[in-house]
Amino acid sequence: MNLRELAVKDMKSQNVKDWGLPIELMDPDGTWYTTDNETGETLKAVQILYDYRKLNPDTGEEITVHEPIVTIARSSLARVPVPGEKWIVKMPTETSESATLETRVINKARSIEGGKSLGFVRLYPGSVEQS
Amino acid sequence: MMKFREIKAAYTTLLDSQSSGNFDVIGYQRQSKSSNEFSKLVTPYYYSGDFPKSSTGIYGSNVEHNVTLMVELSVSVKAQMDLTVINDPSATSTERAAAITAMQDGAALADQALDELFDLVFQITMDPRNAYFGLSGNYFADRFIENFQKDSPLPQGEEVILTGRFQLTCSCEEELGGETGTAGTAYDTTVNIEDDQGNNAGASGTLGG
């Protein structure tokens, strides 16, 4: 295994161990993913961030937004989300493995990012309400 | 108080009273606001004024004032879908797939929401019955919405945030109140003849017949 492959492997293993929180994903076909495709253990995100950001829209006024970011190792997923697809993400909104998972959505409003350089995909879950 | 302040206050009150719960109104610019504390927000404020130079303005008691109010519209929208299917453990993958396919994109809903908000505000503002925003007639004239501009959705955030704005113009005459005078020293001008020994004041007579 060369250094690049080792970096991808370590990115997942070290971060899941120190920062990982459980998540559940549902793909556009209605299939739930709750276990890690590589290890068979509970599916965990490499990192979940819950920061607030301040933005300056065209009016010049600042709007504070809550922006959760979910980073997942590609090797953890049997199917990797691609831009344009609609997915459901159930994620904890507290930094605890025992926190209740809340439903968020991935859709075209905010595209998926992340790449294969270190083998991860970055999701920007959006709020959803009952229609 | 100058009239532009009363015009702005009256317009804010008008929007608030006729919103019917469809949107919130804030009559001033805030330093910042949180995306999850509002869904539809209207923010009118005095933006600029133009004072054409004239002799009556320089030497007289009235100054013409072309008022511009800026009205900012903001919506904060979530995606919508049938969550009961997603949260139902007995739902099939086909049912879940149908629910997720039917999900309404937050950006599309935000675009629609801002159009609806502008529609509501425009109708209230330009209604002929509201020509003077509830103030007495001839208070100001020619209120008009000259343009509307929609911004791009904010690139970040759990909710989709979309903003827009329009300028509302009107014209009025600002009255100059002048300076209030200071009362001078009062003097008693009553004539008080205390002693008329020489009968100099004379006696009242009777007109002859």
Side-chain angles (χ1 to χ4, degrees), chain B residues 100-177:
Chain B
I100 202 170
T101 300
M103 183 204 313
Q104 292 182 278
D105 196 313
L109 292 172
D111 188 74
Q112 182 183 340
L114 190 65
D115 290 348
E116 288 176 353
L117 181 58
F118 176 63
D119 186 337
L120 286 170
V121 175
F122 186 91
Q123 295 292 336
I124 293 170
T125 304
M126 297 306 295
D127 189 323
R129 292 168 294 182
N130 298 329
Y132 298 105
F133 302 158
L135 295 171
S136 60
N138 300 323
Y139 208 84
F140 61 91
D142 304 330
R143 62 96 177 79
F144 201 71
I145 294 177
E146 299 198 350
N147 54 46
F148 174 73
Q149 179 177 333
K150 183 188 289 183
D151 303 317
S152 302
L154 295 190
Q156 292 159 310
E158 233 181 353
E159 292 88 14
V160 179
I161 300 157
L162 191 56
T163 57
R165 77 195 67 84
F166 62 85
Q167 293 186 3
L168 173 61
T169 59
C170 64
S171 57
C172 66
E173 282 200 345
E174 302 289 2
E175 295 175 357
L176 302 172

Side-chain angles (χ1 to χ4, degrees), chain A residues 71-117:
Chain A
T71 305
I72 309 171
R74 288 173 173 267
S75 61
S76 295
L77 303 174
R79 176 177 173 177
V80 179
V82 297
E85 289 184 332
K86 297 180 182 179
W87 284 65
I88 299 294
V89 177
K90 286 200 173 184
M91 54 177 282
T93 52
E94 300 288 336
T95 52
S96 167
E97 289 204 40
S98 59
T100 302
L101 302 185
E102 296 188 11
T103 304
R104 297 287 189 276
V105 297
I106 307 297
N107 57 29
K108 287 181 282 188
R110 179 74 189 274
S111 185
I112 294 163
E113 292 180 9
K116 299 178 181 176
S117 300

Side-chain angles (χ1 to χ4, degrees), chain A residues 60-81:
Chain A
E61 183 182 12
E62 287 195 347
I63 297 180
T64 305
V65 298
H66 183 220
E67 183 180 40
I69 304 174
V70 176
T71 305
I72 309 171
R74 288 173 173 267
S75 61
S76 295
L77 303 174
R79 176 177 173 177
V80 179

Side-chain angles (χ1 to χ4, degrees), chain B residues 2 4 46 48-54 63-67 172 174:
Chain B
M2 288 176 73
F4 80 89
Y46 176 65
S48 68
D50 179 36
F51 303 91
K53 195 178 274 189
S54 67
V63 176
E64 189 179 341
H65 186 180
N66 296 325
V67 176
C172 66
E174 302 289 2

Side-chain angles (χ1 to χ4, degrees), chain A residues 26-32 52-59 61-68 86-88 90 103-110 125-131, chain B residues 30-36 38 72 78-84 86-87 93-94 96-97 100-107 151-152 154-161 163 165:
Chain A
M26 190 184 85
D27 70 14
D29 296 328
T31 303
W32 281 108
Y52 278 90
R53 296 191 182 201
K54 286 190 177 182
L55 300 171
N56 287 310
D58 296 329
T59 59
E61 183 182 12
E62 287 195 347
I63 297 180
T64 305
V65 298
H66 183 220
E67 183 180 40
K86 297 180 182 179
W87 284 65
I88 299 294
K90 286 200 173 184
T103 304
R104 297 287 189 276
V105 297
I106 307 297
N107 57 29
K108 287 181 282 188
R110 179 74 189 274
S127 295
V128 63
E129 60 185 8
Q130 178 64 39
S131 59
Chain B
R30 289 172 55 173
Q31 290 175 289
S32 69
K33 53 181 179 267
S34 176
S35 64
N36 57 11
F38 68 91
E72 294 177 354
K78 300 179 182 181
Q80 289 184 353
M81 69 177 300
D82 187 359
L83 292 173
T84 58
I86 302 302
N87 294 325
S93 59
T94 305
R96 290 195 295 265
I100 202 170
T101 300
M103 183 204 313
Q104 292 182 278
D105 196 313
D151 303 317
S152 302
L154 295 190
Q156 292 159 310
E158 233 181 353
E159 292 88 14
V160 179
I161 300 157
T163 57
R165 77 195 67 84

